[in-house]
Amino acid sequence: MLQKIRWFLSLAAVLVVVIVAFQNQDAVPLTILFFSGEYPLTLLLLGFSGVSFVLGCLMTAWRIRSRHKAQATRESEAKKALASESKKPEASAKEASSTKKKGIAGNESAEASIGLDQEAT
């Protein structure tokens, strides 16, 4: 619905610019930097409106591209974080099992040195 309203307003703005441009057909002097001359106001209004439209489209495309790049960066960082979190439990489980094995081996050597083996008793 919002998109339809936006299209309608854009069309209305273009229609107003065209009506105003064609109602003002007088020749006006134009001086821009080193360029000067007399041109019909219709040509100038339509020309500058067209240039501003193109610049607006380019800026909008640039903003959309920036948003997509930022979103892609956030998604890749989230995937990396998720992948590292999923690896952490596996690594901690491996560390826990190796710690248990070390602990059991350490207890066996301690028992053997104290003489608490079942064979010794």
Side-chain angles (χ1 to χ4, degrees), residues 10-38:
S10 297
L11 183 62
V14 168
L15 188 61
V16 167
V17 167
V18 169
I19 289 171
V20 168
F22 281 106
Q23 285 184 347
N24 294 294
Q25 296 182 2
D26 299 333
V28 293
L30 174 70
T31 304
I32 299 176
L33 298 174
F34 58 89
F35 185 75
S36 64
E38 269 195 34

Side-chain angles (χ1 to χ4, degrees), residues 17-18 21-22 30 40-55:
V17 167
V18 169
F22 281 106
L30 174 70
L41 189 56
T42 302
L43 178 67
L44 296 175
L45 288 172
L46 292 176
F48 283 109
S49 296
V51 168
S52 64
F53 175 76
V54 169
L55 290 176

Side-chain angles (χ1 to χ4, degrees), residues 85-99:
E85 287 179 7
S86 66
K87 289 180 182 179
K88 284 182 181 179
E90 293 174 3
S92 61
K94 288 179 182 178
E95 289 174 8
S97 65
S98 65
T99 305

